[in-house]
Amino acid sequence: MIYLITGGERSGKSSYAQNMALQLTDSPIYVATARKWDADFQNRIDRHQQERDERWTNIEEEKYLSKIDFTEKIALIDCVTLWLTNFFTDHNFDVNLSLEEAKKEFLSIANQKNATLIIVTNEIGMGVHAETHIGRKFTELQGWMNQFLASNADEVVLMVSGIPVKIKG
């Protein structure tokens, strides 16, 4: 089962996804995809870690989700935007190569036996138009990956101001 939780920044995606995971199991896996870019990002990571208690198994994996065995497990992957950023910067802002590699990684985990994946992503294309060329390219990458994930998801939920709106499934 694949759940995709999407929405704008601070829309309640992560909280909703964490609550969903805990409703499905007493021992979920949390996969953090953030790269520690600076002190501000470290503070954000620390805050998110404090939100989770001892029931969670935390795994940090910036790019290669295929390293993780999700078989028979319930996992929350947070988040696609940060995950894509890692591919995008490592591939010198090449949208096609980043998209190809991210799709390949997703498909490798989507087919694991009896895995339940709760995936958090952002709808960055619904906000302000990116000022830079690279920002606009990333918005395209994010949009295409979101479409791919949504087409493969069993259920898609759009978070709007903390309210879940089911849009698929």
Side-chain angles (χ1 to χ4, degrees), residues 1-4 106 110 115-117 119 149-157 166-169:
M1 185 74 171
I2 299 172
Y3 299 93
L4 182 65
F106 169 75
T116 297
L117 305 175
I119 303 169
L149 292 170
S151 71
N152 284 280
D154 299 293
E155 184 175 303
V156 180
V157 173
K166 188 183 286 191
I167 57 176
K168 180 182 177 184

Side-chain angles (χ1 to χ4, degrees), residues 51-115:
E51 293 172 357
R52 295 183 304 275
D53 59 27
E54 68 283 347
R55 294 174 288 181
W56 293 87
T57 299
N58 295 307
I59 299 173
E60 293 184 14
E61 180 50 55
E62 296 180 0
K63 287 171 57 178
Y64 299 107
L65 301 178
S66 58
K67 293 180 183 178
I68 304 166
D69 181 8
F70 294 104
T71 304
E72 306 281 339
K73 296 182 178 100
I74 294 171
L76 167 55
I77 300 169
D78 197 357
C79 82
V80 171
T81 305
L82 298 175
W83 183 59
L84 286 175
T85 298
N86 300 332
F87 287 109
F88 193 59
T89 56
D90 291 353
H91 292 309
N92 295 314
F93 314 113
D94 184 320
V95 172
N96 293 328
L97 184 56
S98 300
L99 184 62
E100 179 184 322
E101 194 168 348
K103 283 181 176 181
K104 180 180 170 187
E105 280 299 307
F106 169 75
L107 290 173
S108 73
I109 65 170
N111 295 320
Q112 290 188 21
K113 186 178 179 190
N114 293 325

Side-chain angles (χ1 to χ4, degrees), residues 119-154:
I119 303 169
V120 175
T121 192
N122 288 282
E123 290 295 333
I124 63 173
M126 294 173 79
V128 177
H129 187 71
E131 185 176 320
T132 65
H133 175 69
I134 289 176
R136 290 187 295 276
K137 286 174 66 174
F138 184 79
T139 300
E140 290 178 3
L141 171 62
Q142 178 78 59
W144 286 325
M145 190 64 190
N146 284 352
Q147 289 181 49
F148 178 75
L149 292 170
S151 71
N152 284 280
D154 299 293

